[in-house]
Amino acid sequence: MRELPHPPRDEIELAAVMQALADPVRLELVRLMDSDAAAPCAALAESVGVHKSTASHHFRTLRESGVTTTIVDGRIRFVRLRREALQERFPGLLDAVLRAAHANSPVSSRP
Amino acid sequence: MRELPHPPRDEIELAAVMQALADPVRLELVRLMDSDAAAPCAALAESVGVHKSTASHHFRTLRESGVTTTIVDGRIRFVRLRREALQERFPGLLDAVLRAAHANSPVSSRP
DNA sequence: CAAAAGGTTTGATGGTCATCAAACTATTTT
DNA sequence: AAAATAGTTTGATGACCATCAAACCTTTTG
């Protein structure tokens, strides 16, 4: 059970976070992470419908920007949002983005 | 005194706004707009130190994403943040970004 | 009218990025 | 030991983007 490297809280950069959250696929991934806090990468990747190498790239971008942290358990990776770190570094930002992301693609409107 | 076209409030897209705010130069521009609500484009462009055609491109990106509105007065353009529209569409998002941008910038501590 | 001022538009250029496929690594299961 | 699982890495490709320079447009000023 080890953790993949990510930037310390005080070195998280605004432009990098904004960049990470500016892609539709990554926006959808963080929306899913917000709803299901402990989904493995594979499940998330399948939900958004991209190739696994593409998903891997997106998870790396999110992690290196400081948005997520990744925990390796055997051959499975769990990704979760760095809520407290982001709240301390950029208060209200993640909450506002998540709220907007949920409003933009409501789960309840699925047939 | 006419206004350049921009997307109506309900058609502003999250990914487009995030994209617009993911560039360091545009982030600096909106930070300046937050501090000085009525600066003409030329002054802002000079503050961030880019070529005027580059500045023009950035102002267009901000306007077309829904972040700003532009008013033409003679040969001068005034750009301002669409605060109410953004607050209604994505509550708290612009505030959080502006707060983060000000905190990140060593120049002045508050608007 | 001519010149200046404030921007926009149009290339051209270099860089970054999202995507997929294929090969690879590491762990677990059979 | 072999196969399956979960992902990463490494190209390759095509798209988009930030930048500047030069020409252009519109409005104001001399």
Side-chain angles (χ1 to χ4, degrees), chain B residues 44-59:
Chain B
L44 295 169
E46 206 203 350
S47 292
V48 300
V50 295
H51 194 275
K52 61 179 182 172
S53 63
T54 303
S56 179
H57 157 68
H58 285 309
F59 286 126

Side-chain angles (χ1 to χ4, degrees), chain B residues 5-42:
Chain B
H6 58 243
R9 184 196 66 184
D10 293 346
E11 287 171 24
I12 299 176
E13 281 183 50
L14 178 60
V17 170
M18 296 301 290
Q19 188 103 269
L21 298 175
D23 180 85
V25 170
R26 288 193 290 267
L27 223 31
E28 176 68 7
L29 287 174
V30 301
R31 209 204 84 219
L32 291 169
M33 284 180 223
D34 187 44
S35 300
D36 184 359
C41 290

Side-chain angles (χ1 to χ4, degrees), chain B residues 30-98:
Chain B
V30 301
R31 209 204 84 219
L32 291 169
M33 284 180 223
D34 187 44
S35 300
D36 184 359
C41 290
L44 295 169
E46 206 203 350
S47 292
V48 300
V50 295
H51 194 275
K52 61 179 182 172
S53 63
T54 303
S56 179
H57 157 68
H58 285 309
F59 286 126
R60 175 199 275 256
T61 300
L62 288 170
R63 178 171 53 80
E64 291 184 343
S65 74
V67 174
T68 62
T69 189
T70 302
I71 290 163
V72 181
D73 182 12
R75 60 188 172 185
I76 301 181
R77 259 95 166 150
F78 293 96
V79 184
R80 39 173 262 274
L81 295 169
R82 292 178 65 185
R83 296 183 197 269
E84 314 97 357
L86 286 168
Q87 175 61 25
E88 286 163 10
R89 181 86 169 125
F90 305 128
L93 180 58
L94 182 61
D95 287 343
V97 172
L98 289 173

Side-chain angles (χ1 to χ4, degrees), chain A residues 34-78:
Chain A
D34 188 41
S35 301
D36 184 358
C41 290
L44 295 169
E46 205 203 350
S47 292
V48 301
V50 295
H51 193 277
K52 61 178 184 172
S53 63
T54 304
S56 179
H57 158 67
H58 285 310
F59 286 126
R60 174 199 275 254
T61 300
L62 289 169
R63 178 171 51 81
E64 291 184 343
S65 72
V67 174
T68 63
T69 187
T70 301
I71 289 164
V72 181
D73 181 13
R75 60 188 173 185
I76 300 182
R77 260 92 166 151
F78 293 96

